[in-house]
């Protein structure tokens, strides 16, 4: 606890992860689980939402067993089908910028300038 400059009362310093509230307000979230049927892919997210999208062509052509064999990867930012060697980013499911999802997962965006 530290003392406020304006008063003699003690005030608590509360730190939150930088930008996480604003990223969540934009719709970014991390994947918790995934499942597919013969028409759609369904993803449950850490903010309580379940979002579905129509199957991509590689999933429509896959067998039911190949569609079922999927996992969440890359720190909850992607979905991977090992039998198909295909991956889809959570940003596509949510229609948000990839950088927002990566930042929420704890990655920093680095911009390099040419000298």
């Amino acid at each position: 606890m530290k003392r406020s400059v304006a008063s003699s009362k003690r005030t608590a310093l509360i730190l939150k992860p930088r930008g996480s509230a604003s990223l969540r307000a934009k719709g970014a979230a991390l994947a918790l689980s995934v499942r597919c049927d013969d028409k759609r892919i369904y993803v449950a997210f850490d903010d309580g939402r379940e979002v579905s999208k129509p199957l991509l062509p590689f999933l429509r052509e896959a067998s039911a067993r190949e569609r079922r064999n999927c996992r969440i990867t890359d720190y909850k930012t992607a979905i991977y089908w090992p039998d198909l060697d295909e991956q889809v980013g959570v940003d596509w499911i949510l229609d948000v910028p990839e950088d927002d999802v990566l930042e929420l997962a704890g990655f920093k965006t680095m911009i390099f300038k040419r000298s």
Side-chain angles (χ1 to χ4, degrees):
M1 296 282 233
K2 68 176 188 173
R3 292 192 185 272
S4 170
V5 175
S7 75
S8 61
K9 293 181 184 176
R10 291 182 160 234
T11 59
L13 181 62
I14 300 171
L15 300 174
K16 291 184 179 179
R18 200 166 184 208
S20 64
S22 64
L23 291 171
R24 292 208 183 266
K26 292 179 186 177
L30 300 175
L32 295 178
S33 66
V34 59
R35 65 185 170 85
C36 297
D37 61 21
D38 59 342
K39 295 188 177 167
R40 299 188 75 79
I41 177 172
Y42 303 87
V43 182
F45 291 95
D46 64 347
D47 62 1
R49 289 182 290 167
E50 181 175 89
V51 178
S52 72
K53 288 267 193 164
L55 291 179
L56 291 163
F58 75 87
L59 289 171
R60 281 196 303 269
E61 295 168 5
S63 70
R65 185 188 67 74
E66 290 170 325
R67 281 193 301 268
R68 277 193 310 270
N69 185 22
C70 59
R71 61 182 73 125
I72 307 293
T73 62
D74 296 342
Y75 302 95
K76 302 180 183 182
T77 65
I79 302 157
Y80 178 63
W81 287 266
D83 295 343
L84 305 170
D85 195 27
E86 294 282 357
Q87 182 166 300
V88 172
V90 167
D91 57 302
W92 175 77
I93 302 286
L94 294 171
D95 291 322
V96 299
E98 181 181 21
D99 288 346
D100 289 356
V101 174
L102 294 176
E103 188 176 337
L104 187 62
F107 296 97
K108 295 211 179 239
T109 304
M110 301 181 104
I111 300 172
F112 295 97
K113 294 184 180 179
R114 291 185 182 180
S115 315

